[in-house]
Structure formats: structure tokens, C-alpha cells
Amino acid sequence: MTDEIILQVRDLRTYFHTDAGIVKAVDGINFDLHKGECLGIVGESGSGKSVTNLSIINLVTFPGKIESGQVLFHGQDLLKLKEKEIRKIRGDKISMIFQDPMTSLNPYLKISTQMIETIRMHQGLNKGQARAKAIEMLKLVGIPGAEERVDCYPHQFSGGMRQRVMIAMGLSCNPEILIADEPTSALDVTIQAQILELMKDLSKKLGTAVIIITHSLGVVAGMCDTINVMYAGRVVEHAKTMELFKETKHPYTQGLIRSVPRLDMEMKDKLYSIPGVPPNVVDLPPCCPFYPRCEKAMDICKEKYPEVTDFGKGHVCSCWLYGKEGGR
């Protein structure tokens, strides 16, 4: 990771206008991404992780709408670009690995057809050169017999191998940013570890910045440089990985960490789960959305959203336990 900031997200708000009301899926997100950095975005389902990253590459569809904010890629606001202009960046400068590789890959087309199309579109290579590049990328992600397997269909690969194909496609144009949406959710633990290690190694080799979206802090603990913890469309805590685990501030983050199975845990101990369920984000009141589930909730939590407290070293948290009106 370097000091060069390549992506700046400022006050990003993406709402879904439904018959039931306005769903504030992303409600004022701010973060920076440095060159070569690995950023983890964690939180329960419905916290706004995927919508945040779809908003970055302007892939939000009806009834969703990016209401306001900026996504500055090398100083250029991606939200102001026309569709033709943003398509030149998607898949080239910024790539995304979607959650389920079986539905992301076209089952009727060979892997070679799908990879070659992307490479030729963004890199201007002829068909032979693009095929050679596709084979090279499949070898890079550890697929044996890449010369033959490049002409296979998606159903002829296992889940782990399909995920490797998606990573190869995502990295085939040497992007500056790779967004991975739940890249290991459908895989067993052994393959999960292999995929995460692969992404970490490729990030170091190619200098690619990586954004990983996941439910589990355990998944990103050994891989990410920094972590954003999201809840109800907002970042409630942000810190460097070691700092976050060592000096956890927000009660929600503490709950997520306690929910991760530990090798030093007694067999008789029950695995902790955060009480209650995530809130309905339709027309949320202007209070802390976590207070109904929080063991440390105070009266102020029910009245307004907490201020951001800066603990230094890039560690920030939105919680009234540390705010001026809350007390510490």
C-alpha cells in the first residue's frame, strides 16, 4: 500500500424509491482507497455493502438512484460521466467480481469467448493475442491445463475454479481497483482460504487495490489493510485492521468479532450472536439504528444519529459512547 489515493468516496447516497417508502441503502458514505491497499467492507445482509460498490461504478438500476455524492477516481467524478465514458473504465480500470460466479458467467458461452471479449474491448488486442492473454491469466490464478480448459463451459468447472475464472477475468485488463463482492460465500473453508490468499498475492504482484465485501470480520482479518464496518447504510467504524481488532470501539463491531468462531473457545461455550435483527431501512428515523440491539444504548441514541469521533491513526467511530453528548 502506498500513500497515493486513487479513489475518494464523498457523502455518497443511494436510495431506492419503493411503494413502501424510501430505502436509504447507502446514506452518506465517506472513505479513501490507496494504491495497492486492500479494504474490507463488512456488515450483515442489508447493511449497504454491495450497493456502495455498485454505486462506485454506476451500476445501480431502477428503482435505485444515486441521489448525491462524489466518487473521485484520480480526481475525476465517475458519477458525472456518461454511460459511454464509464463503460471504458468498468472492466478496465475498475473491475468487479460478482457474488455468484455461476450466475455471473454466461452458461451458453465458453470461458474463452467471455474472456476474449473483455480483453479485446479494453486493450485493443486481436483475437489471437487476446486468447493468449486469457490463457496467461488462467495460469496466473492456478487453473491447471489452462490451454485446454479455456475452451470449457462454466458448468465444467467446480465452484472454486469458477471463482478463479472470475478473478482472472477481473484482472485480465490490469485494473487499478478490483472489487470482490462476497468472493468466497459459496465455497468451503479450504477453498475459501485459497481464494483469499490468491487475491492477496495477485494484489501484491500487480499493485492492484482490492475492495472485499463480506459478512465476516474473520474473512478479512488476515488479508485487509483497513476495514469499513457498515450498518444500515452507513460506516459506523473505520480503522486499520490491527487497530480495529485491538481497540474495537463500536458495540456493533464488537458483536461481529464475538460472532466469529475461535480455536481457543471452550466446546461448551455457545457462539455469540447479536440480539435482534437488522432494522427496516425504509424511512429510518434520525437516530442510531443500532440502539434496539445495543447492550450499551442510552437515551441520546434514540434521539439523533451519533457524531463521528476520531481516535487518531485513521480510527473513527460513530457512537454516542464517545460523543460529546453521550459521555466518555
Side-chain angles (χ1 to χ4, degrees):
M1 184 176 79
T2 68
D3 293 332
E4 181 187 350
I5 297 174
I6 58 174
L7 185 73
Q8 296 171 290
V9 177
R10 294 290 177 267
D11 198 32
L12 181 62
R13 299 175 190 273
T14 302
Y15 299 168
F16 288 78
H17 298 266
T18 69
D19 293 337
I22 298 175
V23 177
K24 296 182 178 180
V26 176
D27 196 18
I29 295 292
N30 294 280
F31 66 85
D32 294 335
L33 183 70
H34 296 77
K35 184 175 181 179
E37 178 182 4
C38 185
L39 168 69
I41 301 181
V42 300
E44 295 168 297
S45 295
S47 60
K49 306 183 301 296
S50 295
V51 178
T52 296
N53 290 282
L54 288 173
S55 300
I56 288 173
I57 53 177
N58 212 342
L59 272 180
V60 177
T61 56
F62 181 83
K65 181 184 177 184
I66 300 173
E67 299 287 337
S68 62
Q70 292 179 306
V71 177
L72 303 173
F73 179 60
H74 291 298
Q76 182 182 37
D77 192 352
L78 301 183
L79 302 184
K80 292 182 178 178
L81 298 182
K82 295 179 181 178
E83 179 61 24
K84 188 176 181 180
E85 295 172 323
I86 192 70
R87 284 186 68 183
K88 292 179 181 178
I89 293 175
R90 285 193 213 119
D92 184 19
K93 302 297 182 184
I94 303 176
S95 288
M96 186 164 183
I97 302 171
F98 293 94
Q99 191 164 350
D100 184 358
M102 195 59 201
T103 56
S104 301
L105 293 167
N106 190 324
Y108 295 103
L109 297 178
K110 295 177 180 179
I111 296 300
S112 57
T113 304
Q114 299 182 60
M115 290 190 71
I116 288 170
E117 179 185 11
T118 303
I119 295 168
R120 293 190 70 187
M121 179 185 295
H122 292 295
Q123 298 201 318
L125 303 179
N126 62 39
K127 195 170 182 179
Q129 292 170 328
R131 180 182 174 84
K133 177 73 183 244
I135 293 170
E136 178 191 338
M137 294 308 300
L138 291 179
K139 288 179 179 178
L140 188 64
V141 297
I143 292 181
E147 291 86 352
E148 294 77 30
R149 303 218 66 187
V150 71
D151 290 315
C152 292
Y153 290 90
H155 72 270
Q156 294 176 283
F157 288 81
S158 66
M161 286 298 174
R162 282 196 295 268
Q163 196 61 279
R164 288 172 186 263
V165 169
M166 289 298 297
I167 294 172
M169 289 179 69
L171 293 171
S172 60
C173 295
N174 302 320
E176 293 186 56
I177 301 172
L178 178 67
I179 300 171
D181 188 356
E182 298 281 1
T184 59
S185 60
L187 307 176
D188 62 63
V189 177
T190 306
I191 304 301
Q192 185 181 98
Q194 290 177 5
I195 294 295
L196 291 173
E197 194 61 34
L198 171 65
M199 291 179 65
K200 188 175 181 179
D201 290 343
L202 291 175
S203 174
K204 287 181 179 178
K205 284 180 185 176
L206 304 175
T208 304
V210 179
I211 300 176
I212 293 185
I213 305 165
T214 180
H215 291 89
S216 173
L217 276 166
V219 168
V220 296
M223 180 173 179
C224 292
D225 301 300
T226 52
I227 295 175
N228 281 346
V229 181
M230 288 191 68
Y231 190 80
R234 304 197 192 198
V235 174
V236 296
E237 187 165 5
H238 168 83
K240 292 181 179 178
T241 302
M242 291 300 293
E243 176 74 13
L244 188 82
F245 281 90
K246 185 179 177 183
E247 297 289 341
T248 313
K249 300 296 183 183
H250 201 283
Y252 177 61
T253 312
Q254 293 169 0
L256 289 177
I257 292 175
R258 289 174 64 190
S259 302
V260 178
R262 298 172 59 101
L263 290 174
D264 58 355
M265 199 170 150
E266 293 286 339
M267 290 294 289
K268 61 183 180 181
D269 293 340
K270 276 189 176 182
L271 188 62
Y272 176 81
S273 64
I274 300 172
V277 295
N280 182 349
V281 292
V282 176
D283 298 322
L284 270 175
C287 62
C288 175
F290 187 62
Y291 88 82
R293 309 172 68 188
C294 183
E295 300 169 352
K296 302 174 183 177
M298 302 175 289
D299 290 338
I300 187 70
C301 304
K302 305 173 187 179
E303 297 170 10
K304 52 184 177 179
Y305 195 84
E307 304 166 346
V308 176
T309 303
D310 191 338
F311 298 95
K313 300 179 182 177
H315 190 170
V316 295
C317 171
S318 295
C319 182
W320 282 121
L321 286 172
Y322 315 100
K324 294 176 184 175
E325 297 182 45
R328 290 187 191 176

